Amino acid sequence: MPFELKLLSGNSNYPLAEKISRYLGVPLTNADVSRFQDGEVSIKINENIRGTDLFIIQSTQAPAENLVELLVMLDAARRASARRITAVIPYFGYARQDRKDQPRVPISAKLMANLITTAGANRVLTMDLHASQIQGFFDIPLDHLYSAPIFLKCFAQMELSDLVVVAPDPGGVHMARAYAKRLGASLAFIDKRRPDKDRAEVMHIVGKVKGKTVIIQDDIINTGETLTKGAAAIKDRGAKEVYACCTHPVLSRGAVERVEESPISRLLVTDTIPLRKGINSKKIEVASISDLLGEAIKRIHQEESVSSLFY
Ligand code: R5P
């Protein structure tokens, strides 16, 4: 008989934690995840968690408060003698600086891995990391899920034909190829340059898009520059229609407007990050990853395989 499964959530994505809780039929652990008057994070777990298999659900999108909440919850859980603590991080923030490709830059993804481990995580469950080598930044077990099965199901229901899947940069070709294979589509990619950290320019499109229905697949939409400029270039080259899917809807200021004004017909995202209040776009649709995460939590708890959830 495995030890008791418990769920704890911070404030970064409470609606997702509630959905996972419903899927598993396990209530969220009673806790105060609040602030002291000066703004510092204050945590108090209000029930006994000694000896439990505890899953702490917290995405770490900006602001850094979300990360601090996760670290402080981990510390509280470790000191309260949870037997095993899994950090469930649907969106793993600070992942974009994942190698030292210029002088005087950090490897922030490695720093995050160190902080999360030091704070008390025994394992990590996450999804569509910005770069899969980040898995190796952790010296604790890490389960890495993909949103692909969810998006592929949505696209299959749309019954699109004459498809080509486009990777928004050469780094995305591997995943785009997996989509293309599953959808019976051809493959293309964008040669993208970044003149500045929050700007993107399309240099070339490698592959045939003329007369095709295009799906651009990416992990993150932040400013929306990558996706919308890519979509415009693809449309200029004669594509019939452009769809897009991005796992993590960071959607910083101006991104939704860019999507609205772009030739993208529909943009599918997941709920690893909640959409900011006030976002109201007919083009953006949210497909929930709650059941996938819930199932993965159940299997980790029951020591069963997680890899069959990849397809
Ligand atoms: C590559 O850098 C990533 O996969 C995304 O393409 C990028 O984070 C998207 O950023 P933005 O929306 O700001 O162009």
Side-chain angles (χ1 to χ4, degrees):
M1 181 72 181
F3 41 119
E4 189 189 358
L5 188 163
K6 287 238 182 201
L7 302 171
L8 175 65
S9 177
N11 292 311
S12 75
N13 198 343
Y14 205 79
L16 175 65
E18 287 181 313
K19 283 188 188 165
I20 295 172
S21 154
R22 275 198 293 278
Y23 177 84
L24 290 166
V26 173
L28 293 171
T29 297
N30 185 317
D32 296 323
V33 184
S34 59
R35 297 291 180 271
F36 289 102
Q37 193 158 339
D38 61 359
E40 283 187 2
V41 169
S42 160
I43 305 287
K44 171 88 173 75
I45 300 170
N46 296 321
E47 16 181 309
N48 179 23
I49 56 165
R50 189 178 291 272
T52 57
D53 191 12
L54 182 69
F55 292 80
I56 301 182
I57 303 162
Q58 179 82 336
S59 282
T60 55
Q61 76 275 17
E65 299 274 298
N66 291 324
L67 172 70
V68 177
E69 276 189 8
L70 173 62
L71 298 175
V72 182
M73 284 189 291
L74 285 165
D75 187 70
R78 182 168 55 93
R79 292 175 195 280
S81 305
R83 189 180 313 176
R84 180 172 72 173
I85 308 168
T86 302
V88 181
I89 312 174
Y91 172 67
F92 181 83
Y94 289 87
R96 278 170 291 184
Q97 292 195 294
D98 59 5
R99 61 192 182 281
K100 199 158 187 283
D101 56 353
Q102 299 165 49
R104 299 176 295 284
V105 294
I107 305 182
S108 59
K110 172 63 180 157
L111 174 64
M112 295 306 123
N114 288 347
L115 289 171
I116 290 162
T117 308
T118 303
N122 302 118
R123 44 188 314 133
V124 170
L125 172 62
T126 187
M127 173 167 253
D128 284 345
L129 283 167
H130 178 59
S132 47
Q133 70 267 20
I134 294 170
Q135 294 175 52
F137 294 177
F138 287 90
D139 286 328
I140 54 176
L142 180 146
D143 289 295
H144 185 219
L145 299 176
Y146 300 95
S147 59
I150 291 164
F151 286 144
L152 285 167
K153 196 168 156 202
C154 296
F155 286 124
Q157 283 164 355
M158 291 182 207
E159 297 182 355
L160 305 170
S161 58
D162 224 0
L163 272 179
V164 53
V165 179
V166 176
D169 47 44
V173 169
H174 184 72
M175 185 53 78
R177 185 180 293 124
Y179 272 71
K181 198 172 159 200
R182 291 287 302 278
L183 291 166
S186 53
L187 180 67
F189 72 92
I190 297 171
D191 175 17
K192 174 179 97 175
R193 295 278 185 279
R194 281 210 182 274
D196 183 45
K197 61 182 180 333
D198 282 328
R199 304 254 335 275
E201 298 295 344
V202 173
M203 308 306 285
H204 306 99
I205 293 176
V206 182
K208 186 171 177 285
V209 293
K210 191 167 179 189
K212 299 274 193 178
T213 302
V214 169
I215 297 173
I216 311 178
Q217 186 278 326
D218 207 351
D219 60 335
I220 300 172
I221 173 166
N222 174 23
T223 62
E225 287 246 331
T226 300
L227 211 56
T228 57
K229 289 193 174 167
I234 286 165
K235 198 75 177 143
D236 281 352
R237 282 158 185 79
K240 228 172 14 194
E241 203 162 16
V242 184
Y243 295 85
C245 59
C246 288
T247 310
H248 307 296
V250 174
L251 292 171
S252 56
R253 197 155 41 87
V256 175
E257 291 73 12
R258 284 188 191 100
V259 171
E260 286 295 308
E261 287 158 15
S262 78
I264 296 169
S265 311
R266 273 164 93 175
L267 165 62
L268 305 182
V269 298
T270 78
D271 53 357
T272 57
I273 300 172
L275 290 193
R276 266 182 298 112
K277 282 202 180 65
I279 289 186
N280 181 20
S281 164
K282 287 205 177 73
K283 289 189 175 184
I284 302 177
E285 284 173 42
V286 181
S288 184
I289 42 90
S290 58
D291 290 6
L292 183 61
L293 276 174
E295 185 60 28
I297 289 172
K298 189 171 98 192
R299 291 182 186 204
I300 291 167
H301 176 63
Q302 294 176 343
E303 310 282 357
E304 289 171 4
S305 166
V306 168
S307 62
S308 53
L309 299 176
F310 297 173
Y311 309 103

